[in-house]
Amino acid sequence: MKRNSLIITFGFLVFVAYSTFLLLKGSNYQCEVCILYNDIEVCQKVEGMDESETVIQGVSTACGGAASGRTQNIECSNTPPKSVQCKKL
């Protein structure tokens, strides 16, 4: 029983240390992504760790303002962004 408790405690401490590391590391990229869908242009600024993932997140967030409903949101997400400007932080 004592050995299992030590293993669980160690695992929990590793999880807490990794989570703290990710929180302190912060974002690496800031991108402004503009999407044009149904004649509506929406631009969003997003931050993330990876440039490509940050752009995908920006498209998804911008589509939330340009599309209504699930089908339109999926169509909008598959539309290439009108403009993307990223900078490394």
Side-chain angles (χ1 to χ4, degrees), residues 63-81:
C63 284
S68 62
R70 183 174 178 172
T71 304
Q72 284 189 359
N73 204 338
I74 292 171
E75 289 174 355
C76 179
S77 294
N78 291 326
T79 304

Side-chain angles (χ1 to χ4, degrees), residues 38-81:
N38 285 342
D39 296 326
I40 300 171
E41 183 175 351
V42 178
C43 297
Q44 291 290 323
K45 285 187 179 180
V46 290
E47 293 183 2
M49 302 295 281
D50 179 65
E51 185 175 3
S52 62
E53 291 295 322
T54 304
V55 171
I56 292 170
Q57 179 184 1
V59 168
S60 178
T61 305
C63 284
S68 62
R70 183 174 178 172
T71 304
Q72 284 189 359
N73 204 338
I74 292 171
E75 289 174 355
C76 179
S77 294
N78 291 326
T79 304

